[in-house]
Structure formats: C-alpha cells, structure tokens
Amino acid sequence: MVVAGAGPGGAAAALTLRRLGHRVVLVDKAVFPRDKCCGDGLTAAALRRLERLGLRPEDVASFQPVEEAVVVSAGGRQVSLPLPAGSLFAASARRADLDAALVGLARQAGAEVLEGRAVTAVRAAPAARDNGTAHQPPPAGVRVSLDDGTSIEAAYVVAADGAWSPVRRSLGLTPPGYLGDWQAGRQYFEGVGPEGRKLWVWFEPDMIPGYAWSFPLPGGAANVGYGVLRPIKGRLRGQPPDWSERPRVAAVLGPSARPSGPWRAWPIPARIGRAPLSGLSGRVLFVGDAAGACDPMTGEGIAQAMETAEMAARAIAAAGPAQPEGAARRYRREVLTGMAVDDLLSRLLCWVLARPGGSDRALALVDRSGWTRGNFARWMFEDYPRAVLATPHRWHRRLFSSPGAYAGCEQPGWPGSGAPR
C-alpha cells in the first residue's frame, strides 16, 4: 500500500494498515518536522484516536491540555465551558510537533517512510505476472510516480495529501475553480496574558458564521487566528487582522503579547460526501482534506482526517487486493451513513448562527444551566458525533458519559503540566 501525505490522516492510514498486516510506504514531499497551517486544536474525537494509535502526549513538545473553554457571542455574551476532569476532552499542539511524532510512530510500526519525495502521478498498472495463476490473472494495481524519477507499484493508494491533492489532480478529479469552503489564517503569539491559558472562541460580527480563536500553548504562547466561510466579505480574505482593534481579543491576549512567527493563511475544504472519495475503480481512496473531510461549522479537520483514514484502511483490508470496487463501496457507504450526516447538521447550524442575533440566542440557550454548559462543551469538542441522534448505528452504552482521552492525565512531566520534564 502507498499512503500519499504524512499528516495525521496519512499517519493514521499507515498505522492502521500496518496493524492489519499490510506492507506500507508512506510518502510526503516535506521533511519532518515541518510547519503546517492549522489552528492546532485537538478535540476529544481527535485525542481518542491519537491515544488508540499509540501517541503519548509527553512525546509532543508543545502538547497543552485544555481545562476550560470560553465562547463569546457577537453581542458580547460570554459563556465559560469547564471540561470534565480526569481525562482530556480538548488540547492544543503545534502541528510541527504532532505530525513529526505521528510519522515516528508509523516508522516504528514498520512503514517505510519516504520524506522529501513528492507524488507526481498515479496511474493504473498491472501487477507482477507471477502474482496470478493460469485460472486467476493477477489483479491490476497502481503505479505511483515520484519527483525523483522513481516509481512504486502497489495494490492501493490512500491519498491523504491535502486540499490540493496532487493524487486527485493527477486523476483529473479536481473541480475547476475550487478555492475551498473556508478561508483561515493564524499566527503564533508569545507573552500572552493569564486569560490566554484558556481556549477562546469569539463570534466576531464580521466573521459569522465563522469565528476568531486563541488556542493555548505551553510557555505563555498561543495560536491566534480566524476562519470564515466563502464567499468572503470585507477585509477577511486571508489577511492578518489588527487584533488591537478587536477589544475582546486584545483583552485576552494582554498588553505583552507579541507575534512570534509569520501570519499564514490556508483554504479549508468541507464537503465530505460531495467530493470524490475514490478513483481508478477503487484503487485510490481519498481521506482527510483530500476528501473534503472537515466540519463545516468549525473547520476542524484533524479528527476527521484520522477517522476517514481508518475507514479507508479497514475497507481495503476487508476487500483485499482483487476487489478494489468493493473497498470503494464499503468506504463510501461508511462515510455517507456517518460523517456526511454530521456534515448536513453542521451546515444547518451554520445557517442558524448566520441569522441576525443567532450566536446570542444560541449561547443564551447554552448558558441556561450547568448541565447545558457541560453537555454543550462535550458536543462542541466532538465527544460524540455531531448528528449521533440521527445515526443509531453509532450509538453505544456510554455514548454521553464516556471519559475523554488519556484518563488520569494529571501526570508530571507532560508538556504544559507545570512540572519539569
């Protein structure tokens, strides 16, 4: 198997395929660690998947547990959302650190990792002749061309290579003129005030149904940015805002906050179930951003990338090398009966937030009691799927009461714990 792209989705695909007994080559044009445009937030869904993959927070230098989130409506209503203690429902980590740790796990699991090598083309190719018999011809495979002139032949390709997926482009499946469903940008700050230790979300009037954020990182640092839906109005076209002109944001960052890196902007695709999920008659399966797998309400994509990657890996293993169309059918069915339903609900909620006063009315409902605040926090951080009530096949006994990830996480030596490593 070839996995193109070594972000969280690609690493999850590689690890899952290795654990299912397959040979895996993981290819990425970057050399790790490398920076990645992202908000750096990790939801409960992402954290649980990272834990199952074997990631240890102490191996991610910038790992920062989050104990409290604060959401501010367009009208200024502020709601504090404390998260359950004893396990993690939210955290932050720089993608440079997180992705490098995941690539290391894939390598330890036996995947061959090719860094600094870009995929340039994917084409159908027959498998080796001696893989067949007189009565059973060898199944067709794929030939993956790399930018150094070499090529790899494999049974399947898992394309986890981002919003502008070179694999998708090679197969002629990129929609013309597509620029993403969201536009986002972020910048790292240092010297952030004590309020910046919380996770903040602001529904700024000119960003709704998008939002601005400040996600905490160790050592008084924070990832500060915004995400807005297309079509974009006003000045928010990927340009850095002057946060001092936004009093609510400036008050949290504090007077000593200062940028510690460049402003970076990126598009976010959010069209799972509407973007291509497979190509070459099932020999190529798209996951993560390459499949449009991001939450249309929040722009979150790390958990979605890992979930689609694991779905694709299981579909490949179940179908085997001779039944790629079966792998594609199984993968598509699982996506359409789960994540695509979540997508529809998120789009409806975006419409609600975009109405005049929508964020104020929504937070007024959230702020009715401790029960509503606590349960909204778990829902917001993807403790369970967005549209779980509409998809009974995803129900389980402790659906609304399961602990988060890394139970007993108050461990000395963790990054962000306050104790020396």
Side-chain angles (χ1 to χ4, degrees), residues 117-250:
R117 311 270 284 277
V119 172
T120 57
V122 176
R123 297 286 184 267
R129 183 176 300 277
D130 60 6
N131 283 348
T133 68
H135 304 289
Q136 181 72 39
V142 287
R143 179 176 289 118
V144 181
S145 300
L146 305 182
D147 60 356
D148 62 358
T150 62
S151 64
I152 307 169
E153 291 194 5
Y156 289 91
V157 171
V158 177
D161 50 348
W164 307 125
S165 172
V167 174
R168 188 179 61 207
R169 185 172 62 248
S170 171
L171 297 178
L173 297 175
T174 299
Y178 178 62
L179 297 174
D181 297 275
W182 282 68
Q183 177 67 51
R186 63 95 166 121
Q187 190 167 29
Y188 290 117
F189 278 74
E190 59 185 16
V192 175
E195 282 297 297
R197 299 191 187 111
K198 304 172 186 175
L199 184 152
W200 288 80
V201 171
W202 297 274
F203 287 107
E204 293 284 277
D206 59 334
M207 297 179 182
I208 287 178
Y211 59 95
W213 70 71
S214 175
F215 294 168
L217 292 165
N223 179 315
V224 184
Y226 69 78
V228 293
L229 283 171
R230 294 183 180 276
I232 304 169
K233 300 177 182 178
R235 294 179 296 170
L236 300 173
R237 298 180 181 272
Q239 301 302 312
D242 184 348
W243 296 115
S244 67
E245 296 179 352
R246 298 178 183 267
R248 297 168 189 162
V249 180

Side-chain angles (χ1 to χ4, degrees), residues 141-413:
V142 287
R143 179 176 289 118
V144 181
S145 300
L146 305 182
D147 60 356
D148 62 358
T150 62
S151 64
I152 307 169
E153 291 194 5
Y156 289 91
V157 171
V158 177
D161 50 348
W164 307 125
S165 172
V167 174
R168 188 179 61 207
R169 185 172 62 248
S170 171
L171 297 178
L173 297 175
T174 299
Y178 178 62
L179 297 174
D181 297 275
W182 282 68
Q183 177 67 51
R186 63 95 166 121
Q187 190 167 29
Y188 290 117
F189 278 74
E190 59 185 16
V192 175
E195 282 297 297
R197 299 191 187 111
K198 304 172 186 175
L199 184 152
W200 288 80
V201 171
W202 297 274
F203 287 107
E204 293 284 277
D206 59 334
M207 297 179 182
I208 287 178
Y211 59 95
W213 70 71
S214 175
F215 294 168
L217 292 165
N223 179 315
V224 184
Y226 69 78
V228 293
L229 283 171
R230 294 183 180 276
I232 304 169
K233 300 177 182 178
R235 294 179 296 170
L236 300 173
R237 298 180 181 272
Q239 301 302 312
D242 184 348
W243 296 115
S244 67
E245 296 179 352
R246 298 178 183 267
R248 297 168 189 162
V249 180
V252 168
L253 297 182
S256 299
R258 57 197 178 278
S260 60
W263 171 265
R264 298 192 184 279
W266 71 101
I268 298 177
R271 48 181 55 204
I272 189 71
R274 296 177 293 149
L277 292 173
S278 64
L280 283 184
S281 300
R283 289 291 176 190
V284 177
L285 300 183
F286 297 99
V287 305
D289 281 4
C294 291
D295 187 330
M297 187 179 69
T298 65
E300 148 68 4
I302 295 177
Q304 288 79 356
M306 292 189 289
E307 182 175 358
T308 51
E310 292 172 19
M311 288 180 186
R314 290 194 301 267
I316 287 170
Q323 299 293 328
E325 293 182 351
R329 283 195 302 271
R330 174 178 170 142
Y331 178 48
R332 182 171 182 80
R333 181 173 64 249
E334 198 166 350
V335 169
L336 293 182
T337 58
M339 294 182 68
V341 184
D342 298 333
D343 181 285
L344 290 174
L345 178 62
S346 289
R347 290 182 186 281
L348 174 62
L349 293 172
C350 278
W351 180 84
V352 171
L353 288 172
R355 310 302 295 171
S359 66
D360 294 280
R361 288 192 293 272
L363 284 188
L365 290 173
V366 169
D367 204 22
R368 290 175 67 90
S369 68
W371 184 89
T372 55
R373 287 189 291 273
N375 280 277
F376 177 77
R378 296 180 76 130
W379 179 84
M380 174 181 171
F381 288 105
E382 298 177 337
D383 179 33
Y384 44 84
R386 290 271 185 258
V388 69
L389 296 179
T391 51
H393 65 280
R394 296 190 288 180
W395 296 357
H396 57 83
R397 180 175 296 177
R398 300 188 64 190
L399 180 64
F400 300 111
S401 60
S402 297
Y406 304 106
C409 64
E410 306 293 334
Q411 299 181 28

